[in-house]
């Protein structure tokens, strides 16, 4: 099983002119992109699901996002995203829970299109 990992995304620019970060397929994004979405104006715990198939790269474009990822055997990893030049590779079959700061914007880049049957939304159906 692929393990989640942080991905550095190049940061180009300066404090005087601003910055651009670029995530390219085959470099920072290890899959063909099928869907992009973002979450904002969210408070409290979010996620609470797993994907049967597909990978994601998630980036906190603004603010801080605290993430807990668990495997079916309950091996849990914790991550904090707080910089737009760093992403988290989220493999399939990881239960995700995250807390977003009030001002946070979370970008999700996915290798699969949305399909409800791809989601496991009940912990009893995910954890061994």
């Amino acid at each position: 099983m692929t393990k989640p990992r942080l991905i550095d995304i190049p940061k180009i620019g300066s404090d005087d002119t601003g910055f651009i970060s670029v995530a390219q397929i085959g470099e920072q994004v290890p899959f063909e992109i099928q869907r992009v979405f973002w979450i904002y104006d969210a408070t409290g715990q979010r996620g609470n699901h797993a994907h049967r198939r597909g990978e994601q790269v998630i980036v906190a474009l603004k603010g801080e996002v605290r993430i807990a990822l668990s495997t079916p055997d309950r091996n849990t990893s914790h991550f904090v995203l707080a910089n737009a030049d760093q992403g988290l590779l989220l493999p399939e079959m990881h239960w995700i829970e995250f807390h977003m700061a009030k001002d946070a914007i979370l970008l999700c880049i996915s290798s699969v299109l949305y399909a409800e049957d791809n989601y496991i939304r009940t912990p009893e159906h995910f954890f061994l």
Side-chain angles (χ1 to χ4, degrees), residues 60-108:
L61 295 178
K62 180 181 178 189
E64 182 178 277
V65 180
R66 295 184 175 276
I67 302 163
L69 298 177
S70 300
T71 60
D73 63 358
R74 297 186 185 274
N75 183 6
T76 301
S77 303
H78 296 272
F79 300 90
V80 176
L81 295 176
N83 300 304
D85 62 347
Q86 188 174 59
L88 175 63
L89 176 62
L90 173 59
E92 62 190 25
M93 292 305 290
H94 279 75
W95 189 266
I96 184 169
E97 296 175 0
F98 57 90
H99 293 268
M100 296 176 62
K102 183 176 172 144
D103 66 338
I105 300 173
L106 184 66
L107 174 71
C108 300

Side-chain angles (χ1 to χ4, degrees), residues 52-68:
R52 288 183 171 85
R53 61 191 175 281
E55 296 177 286
Q56 294 180 341
V57 171
I58 55 179
V59 179
L61 295 178
K62 180 181 178 189
E64 182 178 277
V65 180
R66 295 184 175 276
I67 302 163

